[in-house]
Amino acid sequence: MSVDYKAYFAEHRETHLNELKEWLSIPSISALSEHKGDVAKAAEWLAGKLTEAGLEHVEVHQTAGHPIITADYLHAEGKPTVLVYGHYDVQPVDPLHLWETPPFEPAVRNGKLYARGATDDKGQLFLHVKAVEAMLKQEKELPVNIKFCIEGEEEVSSPNLPLYLDNNKDKLAADAIVISDTSLLAPGKPAISTGLRGLCSLELSLETANTDLHSGSYGGGVPNALHAMVSLLSSLHDEQGRVAVEGFYDGVLELSPEMREEFAKQQFDEDKLKRDLGLDSLYGEEGFSFVERVGARPTLELNGVYGGFQGEGSKTVIPKEAHAKITCRLVADQDPQAVLDAIEKHLHAHTPVGAKITFQPKEKAFAFNIDPSHPMLQKAADAFENVYGTRALFTKDGGSIPIVEKLSSTLNAPAVMMGFGLPDENLHAPNEHFNLENFDKGLLTIVEYLKLV
Amino acid sequence: MSVDYKAYFAEHRETHLNELKEWLSIPSISALSEHKGDVAKAAEWLAGKLTEAGLEHVEVHQTAGHPIITADYLHAEGKPTVLVYGHYDVQPVDPLHLWETPPFEPAVRNGKLYARGATDDKGQLFLHVKAVEAMLKQEKELPVNIKFCIEGEEEVSSPNLPLYLDNNKDKLAADAIVISDTSLLAPGKPAISTGLRGLCSLELSLETANTDLHSGSYGGGVPNALHAMVSLLSSLHDEQGRVAVEGFYDGVLELSPEMREEFAKQQFDEDKLKRDLGLDSLYGEEGFSFVERVGARPTLELNGVYGGFQGEGSKTVIPKEAHAKITCRLVADQDPQAVLDAIEKHLHAHTPVGAKITFQPKEKAFAFNIDPSHPMLQKAADAFENVYGTRALFTKDGGSIPIVEKLSSTLNAPAVMMGFGLPDENLHAPNEHFNLENFDKGLLTIVEYLKLV
């Protein structure tokens, strides 16, 4: 490098971290309507930073939900165009009592920045803003054309971005879509995700009576909504952890020996995972390793179940209703709508006597997969190698970024998922954090990538 | 009657109702520690009314929990002594959104007084205070000796009254213990309960990991506390609604033809119950009618289950923990401790792979039964007949008043359970109410009883 970016980023590190902390302190929880103002504030904050970085045409687009932000710097004639996608919204934070420091009071401990959104995705997205700013300040130009398209609804499955993409294909046209919203395999072991699981979700309500009832006067003689709900929910899996819904696995690809070999390369330490998470044992479908289960197999998870009395002490009530929130991660060619239909059919078929259910389908997204031999992915692996000293592995990620498949197909460009998080950074959970070693190396890797493409 | 009590109570009806409303507006929820002050306030309110009524030795006794109130009027030499037992504490009120009017803003609609505690038990207990007051005001004396022993912890299974009873046997000695905390069979069909179910309760917690996890990164590869909990809880019943815990039914008496005949006399309308409660069907053990299931069979009820995300929208979390609150109603010779032990053993034996459970036993009470031929019960049936025009049936009540067995055995006196509620008055549920027809008739029935014994 003719310019010493390492020195530049070291010199500006405190300023950069303070800026990021400021952003992280805005509780931009897209799922909760009471935070709508905070989400808008986080959007405006980012637009300000994009402008400060030297980007042009910084625009905040209002949508039916939360704003979309675009910006560009298109002065590298004849060079490729890179579109940076990311999101400034964050997950809810409960259970709050499990956070060691409050989720919206960012704190650095042991080289890690703790806050909701620290790694998913404000922290990672921030790297792109500061990498571009550094290059523009140091070199007065960029070696590529760059565009940003940032949304505030990724954590609620991007309801409004698809329409914006459809209406702005030319404006957003690019040779690669770069996304930093995934993880390294482990410290010092970079990875480029070539697959994301799809998603579908639903809410289930169950009702047995028109009022809660006293267990003394009625107990033993009337249906109990919680009994019906636990019976119904327990029918969704068999004892081996396999989803027991007929048709659920339609479209799932059997793992080829080559794919199993690729997974084995990760040399994933299952014992360490158990120790780290305090697990008695791993759990899941028979015949698959942990990385195979998460990377190449679908799952159906109960995310929330509730009904009846939750307060202190006891209450001898027979609850009239119970509720469950369910999400599925999908792989290969599973059709999210077909999966939802299969679940709905299963739930109706297994509803216990005396109960009525209400099935509300929510998000839907197909799985995404890309061939790792694409030059834009190979250059990302080069960039990682130049900074981390080790070439990135091409992996399948268990998470879903529902918009990636839509971005890639609409703009007809490869999605380059170069993530700087770590798998144990508690994203979507209490004590989310971002390892600052990857904050530092992430900035350099992005600069490197923009020079290589 | 030489004195026209009907006219007296009609004349004072508005005053009496306003007083009761004042009492009902005090949220004396014994289960919730934040209401400790309110419980104390409700106790002081009652002590004031007992004094106003003309009772003597009105005392408020502090305990390790909520206060016990005693009072007496012992000037009927050679006459029997009646001890009135009741409670001024109430159940919690959630789910609050299901109340048509706020639980602590008493309101009369269609001849019914709506409020938490309206029927259980402030409303019913208030009748005794006003009946005694009326007799003392009108006749300057009582035809019996009367004592009051009122507690504020019935809804949390009376943890402190047993010790007080043991230490005050002489002070509380009586020929009958009168309790109005049960129900008529239906409007116009009085009943005297000769049986109460026992009770035991527990809280169950289940943990799988030391942190909530992201379903993308881990889903399909690690245990989910909610999956484990619904599987564990669904193992507690078989598909016919029978409790599947080994040893649970030990001590339960088979129903004799005579007992079945007694139950049949109630001519209980199961179709009306279904319509009233909006039930698709009744539910419970095969081979028993509704009144038999509730009156003579034990039950195990999930009162609350919760874990994971309950907020608006979705959250792709794998919860680390889940919780359940469980109560059992017991009959005949079931030993509450043995039942708790059997459940604990069952839960440990059925805990799914990867989960750890914590079992916390809570309340324990034996069932209570009394022979209906006792003269003090027959006189209560006479009193009902004189006011309602129809003789009371002797029934088995499905509810539990854990202290009744203790009161009766400690004081060696029959418990006379003459209740003035109705089965559909939503006790322990939203929209609890008290039918004012039975408020009026209850006052007269109590006066009548005190004259007859």
Side-chain angles (χ1 to χ4, degrees):
Chain A
M1 295 182 193
S2 53
V3 175
D4 185 351
Y5 282 100
K6 206 164 178 176
Y8 172 88
F9 288 126
E11 187 190 327
H12 291 81
R13 193 170 193 258
E14 201 180 329
T15 310
H16 288 168
L17 279 181
N18 285 338
E19 290 179 36
L20 176 55
K21 285 181 186 173
E22 191 179 281
W23 199 21
L24 290 169
S25 70
I26 305 170
S28 50
I29 304 171
S30 51
L32 303 180
S33 51
E34 71 258 34
H35 285 287
K36 192 168 169 64
D38 296 314
V39 181
K41 198 172 151 195
E44 289 295 340
W45 188 97
L46 176 60
K49 290 297 162 185
L50 288 166
T51 305
E52 280 175 39
L55 285 149
E56 299 174 344
H57 309 113
V58 177
E59 295 166 5
V60 177
H61 309 277
Q62 300 308 319
T63 73
H66 302 300
I68 294 163
I69 298 166
T70 56
D72 61 42
Y73 195 86
L74 306 174
H75 302 286
E77 216 173 311
K79 293 296 182 76
T81 299
V82 166
L83 173 74
V84 176
Y85 164 83
H87 65 95
Y88 61 86
D89 62 321
V90 300
Q91 279 277 316
V93 296
D94 54 57
L96 201 54
H97 70 280
L98 296 179
W99 286 80
E100 285 171 20
T101 47
F104 299 109
E105 296 177 22
V108 173
R109 291 193 295 279
N110 302 322
K112 297 165 187 171
L113 174 59
Y114 285 82
R116 171 58 86 227
T119 185
D120 177 18
D121 184 46
K122 285 175 179 167
Q124 295 204 49
L125 172 55
F126 186 71
L127 300 177
H128 289 273
V129 182
K130 291 296 145 180
V132 168
E133 179 179 73
M135 294 178 91
L136 281 173
K137 282 196 180 160
Q138 297 294 299
E139 315 203 29
K140 313 296 173 209
E141 61 178 10
L142 293 181
V144 292
N145 298 297
I146 199 151
K147 299 177 179 178
F148 279 79
C149 176
I150 311 300
E151 68 161 324
E153 302 188 303
E154 195 273 343
E155 300 294 3
V156 290
S157 292
S158 309
N160 292 296
L161 188 54
L163 179 65
Y164 184 82
L165 294 176
D166 287 337
N167 292 340
N168 293 275
K169 284 182 197 176
D170 290 342
K171 173 177 172 160
L172 299 173
D175 299 290
I177 303 157
V178 174
I179 305 166
S180 296
D181 198 16
T182 51
S183 299
L184 308 186
L185 276 177
K189 291 176 72 177
I192 293 166
S193 180
T194 60
L196 293 169
R197 288 197 285 189
L199 183 83
C200 63
S201 67
L202 64 105
E203 291 189 27
L204 172 66
S205 293
L206 183 150
E207 197 177 76
T208 46
N210 59 20
T211 182
D212 283 355
L213 295 167
H214 188 299
S215 81
S217 310
Y218 299 98
V222 297
N224 176 320
L226 282 171
H227 296 191
M229 185 59 109
V230 300
S231 165
L232 181 55
L233 294 177
S234 70
S235 77
L236 290 168
H237 293 87
D238 68 17
E239 287 184 11
Q240 282 70 47
R242 202 175 146 86
V243 178
V245 174
E246 196 183 325
F248 180 82
Y249 290 94
D250 290 356
V252 176
L253 289 181
E254 287 309 309
L255 278 180
S256 65
E258 294 71 30
M259 289 168 78
R260 301 202 111 161
E261 210 171 290
E262 193 69 31
F263 278 115
K265 272 191 200 160
Q266 295 186 26
Q267 300 182 302
F268 187 82
D269 187 343
E270 296 194 351
D271 285 332
K272 180 174 184 304
L273 180 75
K274 280 162 61 178
R275 283 195 306 278
D276 289 350
L277 303 181
L279 302 176
D280 261 13
S281 69
L282 297 179
Y283 190 72
E285 283 183 277
E286 295 278 343
F288 297 96
S289 69
F290 175 80
V291 286
E292 288 169 350
R293 284 170 174 165
V294 170
R297 300 295 300 175
T299 186
L300 182 158
E301 300 288 337
L302 303 179
N303 308 120
V305 174
Y306 51 104
F309 183 64
Q310 302 189 14
E312 187 188 349
S314 83
K315 186 180 176 197
T316 49
V317 67
I318 299 177
K320 69 184 275 283
E321 63 188 42
H323 306 273
K325 288 171 185 271
I326 300 175
T327 50
C328 298
R329 301 283 177 173
L330 308 177
V331 299
D333 298 325
Q334 279 183 296
D335 176 343
Q337 184 59 53
V339 169
L340 285 172
D341 291 345
I343 295 171
E344 183 172 14
K345 192 175 163 195
H346 175 100
L347 291 171
H348 280 291
H350 289 76
T351 300
V353 173
K356 286 182 285 282
I357 63 167
T358 309
F359 178 94
Q360 286 181 278
K362 300 280 178 182
E363 301 105 316
K364 282 183 293 184
F366 279 88
F368 173 73
N369 287 287
I370 188 172
D371 184 339
S373 67
H374 194 290
M376 283 298 194
L377 268 73
Q378 289 296 326
K379 284 175 188 166
D382 295 342
F384 270 117
E385 190 166 4
N386 291 352
V387 174
Y388 283 78
T390 178
R391 194 159 183 82
L393 279 180
F394 292 99
T395 59
K396 298 284 182 194
D397 200 87
S400 309
I401 313 179
I403 199 64
V404 171
E405 193 272 338
K406 175 69 184 171
L407 276 163
S408 183
S409 61
T410 306
L411 303 180
N412 193 24
V416 181
M417 288 181 271
M418 39 197 304
F420 300 103
L422 282 172
D424 62 354
E425 291 185 329
N426 291 345
L427 54 167
H428 292 211
N431 303 312
E432 178 179 346
H433 57 275
F434 189 16
N435 198 306
L436 294 179
E437 184 191 332
N438 296 315
F439 178 88
D440 299 330
K441 288 189 175 156
L443 287 163
L444 293 170
T445 306
I446 292 167
V447 168
E448 195 67 14
Y449 183 63
L450 296 180
K451 285 173 177 282
L452 289 174
V453 295
Chain B
M1 297 180 189
S2 53
V3 174
D4 185 352
Y5 282 100
K6 206 163 176 175
Y8 172 88
F9 288 126
E11 187 190 326
H12 291 80
R13 193 170 194 256
E14 198 179 330
T15 311
H16 288 168
L17 279 181
N18 284 338
E19 288 180 38
L20 177 55
K21 284 181 186 174
E22 190 180 280
W23 198 21
L24 290 170
S25 70
I26 305 170
S28 51
I29 305 171
S30 50
L32 303 180
S33 51
E34 71 259 33
H35 285 288
K36 194 169 168 61
D38 296 315
V39 181
K41 197 173 151 196
E44 290 296 340
W45 189 96
L46 175 61
K49 291 295 161 186
L50 289 166
T51 305
E52 279 175 39
L55 286 149
E56 299 173 344
H57 309 115
V58 177
E59 294 166 6
V60 177
H61 308 277
Q62 299 308 319
T63 72
H66 303 299
I68 293 163
I69 298 166
T70 56
D72 61 41
Y73 194 86
L74 306 174
H75 302 287
E77 216 172 311
K79 294 296 183 73
T81 300
V82 166
L83 174 74
V84 176
Y85 163 83
H87 65 94
Y88 62 87
D89 62 322
V90 300
Q91 280 277 316
V93 295
D94 54 58
L96 200 55
H97 70 279
L98 295 179
W99 287 79
E100 284 170 21
T101 47
F104 299 110
E105 296 177 20
V108 173
R109 291 195 293 280
N110 302 323
K112 297 166 186 170
L113 174 58
Y114 285 82
R116 171 58 87 228
T119 185
D120 178 17
D121 182 46
K122 284 174 178 167
Q124 295 205 49
L125 172 55
F126 186 71
L127 301 177
H128 290 273
V129 182
K130 291 296 144 181
V132 168
E133 180 181 72
M135 294 179 91
L136 282 172
K137 283 197 177 159
Q138 297 294 300
E139 315 204 31
K140 312 299 172 205
E141 61 179 9
L142 292 182
V144 291
N145 297 297
I146 200 151
K147 298 178 179 178
F148 279 78
C149 176
I150 311 300
E151 69 162 322
E153 303 189 303
E154 195 272 343
E155 300 294 3
V156 291
S157 292
S158 309
N160 292 295
L161 187 55
L163 179 66
Y164 184 83
L165 294 176
D166 287 336
N167 292 340
N168 293 276
K169 284 181 197 176
D170 291 342
K171 171 176 174 161
L172 299 173
D175 299 290
I177 304 157
V178 174
I179 304 167
S180 295
D181 197 16
T182 49
S183 298
L184 309 186
L185 276 177
K189 292 175 71 178
I192 294 166
S193 180
T194 61
L196 293 169
R197 288 197 284 190
L199 183 82
C200 64
S201 66
L202 65 105
E203 291 188 24
L204 172 67
S205 292
L206 183 150
E207 196 177 78
T208 47
N210 58 21
T211 183
D212 283 354
L213 295 168
H214 188 299
S215 80
S217 310
Y218 299 98
V222 298
N224 176 320
L226 282 172
H227 296 192
M229 185 59 108
V230 300
S231 165
L232 182 54
L233 293 177
S234 69
S235 77
L236 290 167
H237 293 87
D238 68 16
E239 287 184 12
Q240 282 70 46
R242 202 176 145 86
V243 178
V245 174
E246 196 183 325
F248 180 82
Y249 290 94
D250 290 356
V252 176
L253 289 181
E254 286 310 307
L255 277 180
S256 64
E258 294 71 29
M259 288 168 78
R260 301 204 110 162
E261 210 170 290
E262 193 68 31
F263 278 116
K265 273 192 200 160
Q266 295 186 26
Q267 300 181 301
F268 187 82
D269 187 344
E270 296 195 350
D271 285 332
K272 179 173 185 304
L273 180 75
K274 279 162 61 177
R275 283 196 306 276
D276 288 350
L277 303 181
L279 302 177
D280 259 14
S281 69
L282 297 178
Y283 189 72
E285 283 184 277
E286 295 278 343
F288 297 95
S289 69
F290 175 79
V291 286
E292 288 169 350
R293 285 169 175 165
V294 170
R297 301 296 299 176
T299 187
L300 182 158
E301 300 288 338
L302 303 179
N303 308 121
V305 174
Y306 51 104
F309 182 64
Q310 302 189 15
E312 185 188 350
S314 84
K315 186 179 175 197
T316 49
V317 66
I318 299 177
K320 69 185 275 282
E321 64 190 40
H323 306 274
K325 288 172 186 269
I326 299 174
T327 50
C328 298
R329 301 282 178 174
L330 308 177
V331 299
D333 297 325
Q334 279 182 298
D335 177 344
Q337 184 59 55
V339 169
L340 285 172
D341 291 345
I343 295 172
E344 182 172 14
K345 193 175 162 194
H346 175 99
L347 290 173
H348 280 292
H350 289 76
T351 300
V353 172
K356 285 183 286 282
I357 63 167
T358 309
F359 178 94
Q360 286 182 278
K362 300 280 177 180
E363 302 106 314
K364 281 183 294 184
F366 280 89
F368 172 73
N369 288 286
I370 188 172
D371 184 340
S373 66
H374 193 291
M376 284 296 195
L377 267 73
Q378 290 296 325
K379 285 176 187 166
D382 296 341
F384 271 117
E385 191 166 2
N386 292 351
V387 175
Y388 282 80
T390 179
R391 195 160 183 81
L393 279 181
F394 294 100
T395 59
K396 298 284 184 195
D397 201 87
S400 309
I401 313 179
I403 199 65
V404 171
E405 193 273 338
K406 175 69 184 171
L407 276 164
S408 182
S409 62
T410 306
L411 304 179
N412 193 25
V416 183
M417 287 181 272
M418 40 197 304
F420 301 102
L422 281 173
D424 62 354
E425 292 185 328
N426 292 343
L427 53 169
H428 293 210
N431 303 313
E432 179 179 346
H433 58 274
F434 189 16
N435 197 307
L436 295 179
E437 183 191 334
N438 295 315
F439 178 88
D440 299 330
K441 289 190 174 155
L443 287 163
L444 293 170
T445 305
I446 293 166
V447 168
E448 194 67 14
Y449 184 64
L450 296 179
K451 286 173 177 279
L452 290 174
V453 294

